Amino acid sequence: MSTCSGTPCPGRFALLATLLASVGLYGRLDLDPSLDQSVKLFNLARKFPSVEKESGSSLGELEASLFKELGLGDMTYDADVKPWFDHKIGFGLWSSRQSTPYLLVTMASSDDGAARTALKKAQDKQTAAKVGYSVDKGWATIAIGDKNAQDAAKEAVEATAQGSLADDGAFSRALGKMPEGQVAIGWANLEHLKQQLTSGAGSEWFDGVDVKELSGDLTGQVLIGAQAASDGIELRMRIGGTKTKPSIPLDVLPSLTSMPANTAVGVAVAPGSAGGSAVDLGGLTKALGTSGTDLVKAVVEAKLVTAILVPGSKAGVPAMKMAVDAQSQAAADLIAKNLQSISGSSQVKVDRNGTKTEVSTTGFPQGSGSLGDQQQYRTAMAGMPSPAAAVLYLNVSSLFDATGGSAEDRRQLGPLKSLGVGLGLDDGDAVLLARAVIQ
């Protein structure tokens, strides 16, 4: 039985307890987050010059746009939704016992009577075949589908009482690994999604989608969360339960940290450790030919690939460098040969040293110091997964210097200082952290 049956659950699982565990896709948006998150979001937003001018009644406008997209008859946000909606909403893709797919919408209600009146109005316009609903104990559940939507809404509520998403072990474990205060959550149970894609083939929900192609080998679970920090916005993702367990023999973060201090964009990837050797390149042979496919294979199986963009000697013209450390001398020979033939310009230089091939624009500035010396870099990359298979750092001011951004663009984006991204492992899961630093 659900641990939260009877009344709304406290804390982070309240909305989850109103949505059954067998959803394939789920999204949650807290439009009235905790005081801590509200203060952080407000302080971050007001740093941008255009926010005050453009935001208006941003919360009401956002909520109104959400309900407009649902297409619930002649319901209007101000008259039919605002009086009872309590600013928390969840979306799920679910299939009934008859294998019919539905969009389930769960909404917090501060006035169940007003919610029933509004949803009855929507149903009268769309018919019970298209829109079904149930309202009880502070929550409204809406089913939207091709047929029998009212029966589906009833079935979904009954099934939730037997097992909700809050009771799902994989979901609870993944969410428990994330910090408190996630304003937005996205979840996909790929096995449930595969079943729904397969059973729902032919439904207008999947019109134009090659269900057979998408549902081939979906396994595992994906959780995405977003929240505000004191100095920016953080997006996290966890992927677990997959058939193939990831491994990362090479941590690429040190390679990024050692890049020049004036790096505008830096990337370091260990494609071989991310499963590059298992990539099916057969489809490329026809498009690229055997030699082109061999080149791609050599790169995606490489031990390390790095790329650097810095301001060049000429204003608005960046300087670039890319290096590939191949798995073998033969692969390095192939990479070097192809890069030399591709470059064909006095403005591009190709160097080879053992298994490492480096291509750069002529006169690439060496600079002094490293990214690791820069506080801005350390802020953006703090807490990145370790070991990391892929990392990226972008310094907005340096990027403007490199590409010649306009004064107005610099002013508008001034508070956005940098972006850091890391992909790695944590407790057997593949994890990603992306942070936008706003100061």
Side-chain angles (χ1 to χ4, degrees):
M1 293 291 288
S2 169
T3 57
C4 298
S5 59
T7 59
C9 295
R12 72 198 313 195
F13 290 111
L15 188 57
L16 307 176
T18 67
L19 204 62
L20 66 171
S22 59
V23 290
L25 294 175
Y26 167 74
R28 183 201 79 189
L29 184 61
D30 189 345
L31 299 168
D32 186 20
S34 66
L35 178 61
D36 175 67
Q37 282 293 294
S38 296
V39 170
K40 287 176 179 176
L41 287 167
F42 175 76
N43 287 338
L44 292 172
R46 71 176 184 172
K47 294 179 185 293
F48 290 90
S50 61
V51 166
E52 183 176 356
K53 176 182 176 181
E54 297 178 357
S55 62
S57 55
S58 56
L59 177 59
E61 290 176 356
L62 176 58
E63 292 181 351
S65 65
L66 284 173
F67 291 103
K68 183 177 180 180
E69 289 299 318
L70 291 177
L72 296 178
D74 292 336
M75 285 181 67
T76 62
Y77 171 77
D78 288 335
D80 301 310
V81 178
K82 187 176 180 179
W84 60 270
F85 178 51
D86 204 16
H87 311 297
K88 290 177 174 59
I89 186 167
F91 301 89
L93 180 62
W94 168 75
S95 291
S96 67
R97 285 189 294 266
Q98 288 73 36
S99 299
T100 304
Y102 295 92
L103 173 66
L104 295 183
V105 183
T106 304
M107 302 161 55
S109 164
S110 59
D111 185 337
D112 287 359
R116 291 189 189 95
T117 299
L119 293 172
K120 181 64 168 65
K121 175 182 177 181
Q123 190 181 71
D124 289 343
K125 291 294 182 181
Q126 295 282 346
T127 77
K130 296 286 188 179
V131 177
Y133 69 92
S134 175
V135 183
D136 190 38
K137 297 184 176 68
W139 296 100
T141 299
I142 306 168
I144 304 173
D146 297 345
K147 59 183 179 180
N148 303 323
Q150 183 57 45
D151 292 339
K154 181 180 178 181
E155 179 186 333
V157 171
E158 292 173 348
T160 300
Q162 301 302 315
S164 71
L165 196 55
D167 303 315
D168 185 278
F171 181 88
S172 298
R173 174 184 173 275
L175 187 61
K177 294 285 186 179
M178 289 194 174
E180 292 277 358
Q182 300 297 315
V183 175
I185 287 287
W187 166 257
N189 184 312
L190 299 181
E191 292 183 43
H192 290 167
L193 180 59
K194 177 180 178 178
Q195 295 170 2
Q196 290 162 3
L197 289 171
T198 303
S199 63
S203 166
E204 66 180 45
W205 278 99
F206 306 127
D207 186 31
V209 177
D210 188 343
V211 173
K212 184 177 180 180
E213 181 72 20
L214 288 176
S215 62
D217 190 27
L218 294 176
T219 60
Q221 305 88 32
V222 181
L223 179 68
I224 300 173
Q227 68 178 157
S230 58
D231 55 3
I233 299 293
E234 297 176 347
L235 176 73
R236 289 176 168 82
M237 179 173 66
R238 299 187 71 91
I239 303 175
T242 56
K243 288 183 179 179
T244 303
K245 296 301 179 184
S247 63
I248 301 177
L250 175 66
D251 186 0
V252 302
L253 185 57
S255 298
L256 182 68
T257 302
S258 64
M259 289 181 183
N262 65 337
T263 296
V265 181
V267 180
V269 183
S273 68
S277 59
V279 175
D280 181 8
L281 298 174
L284 290 177
T285 303
K286 185 175 181 180
L288 302 178
T290 302
S291 60
T293 302
D294 289 343
L295 173 61
V296 173
K297 188 173 187 291
V299 173
V300 301
E301 292 182 354
K303 291 179 285 187
L304 177 66
V305 177
T306 60
I308 307 171
L309 185 148
V310 300
S313 57
K314 183 178 180 181
V317 180
M320 293 170 282
K321 178 189 290 186
M322 177 181 174
V324 181
D325 191 358
Q327 290 283 2
S328 66
Q329 292 286 348
D333 289 339
L334 179 64
I335 293 170
K337 178 181 177 181
N338 278 273
L339 288 178
Q340 287 168 346
S341 63
I342 291 172
S343 62
S345 168
S346 60
Q347 301 301 311
V348 179
K349 178 183 177 185
V350 178
D351 291 317
R352 165 78 183 283
N353 183 8
T355 58
K356 185 176 181 179
T357 303
E358 190 174 272
V359 57
S360 61
T361 53
T362 303
F364 183 89
Q366 296 303 313
S368 61
S370 67
L371 282 177
D373 302 326
Q374 308 302 309
Q375 181 59 48
Q376 191 61 244
Y377 171 81
R378 295 195 295 269
T379 299
M381 303 303 294
M384 289 294 163
S386 180
V391 287
L392 175 147
Y393 173 69
L394 185 153
N395 184 297
V396 176
S397 178
S398 294
L399 184 60
F400 277 133
D401 291 341
T403 59
S406 69
E408 178 60 18
D409 287 342
R410 289 174 183 261
R411 187 183 77 86
Q412 292 292 341
L413 293 176
L416 178 59
K417 302 301 183 182
S418 58
L419 174 68
V421 181
L423 174 65
L425 291 178
D426 177 61
D427 196 20
D429 293 343
V431 293
L432 178 143
L433 170 60
R435 178 183 293 111
V437 179
I438 301 171
Q439 295 174 335

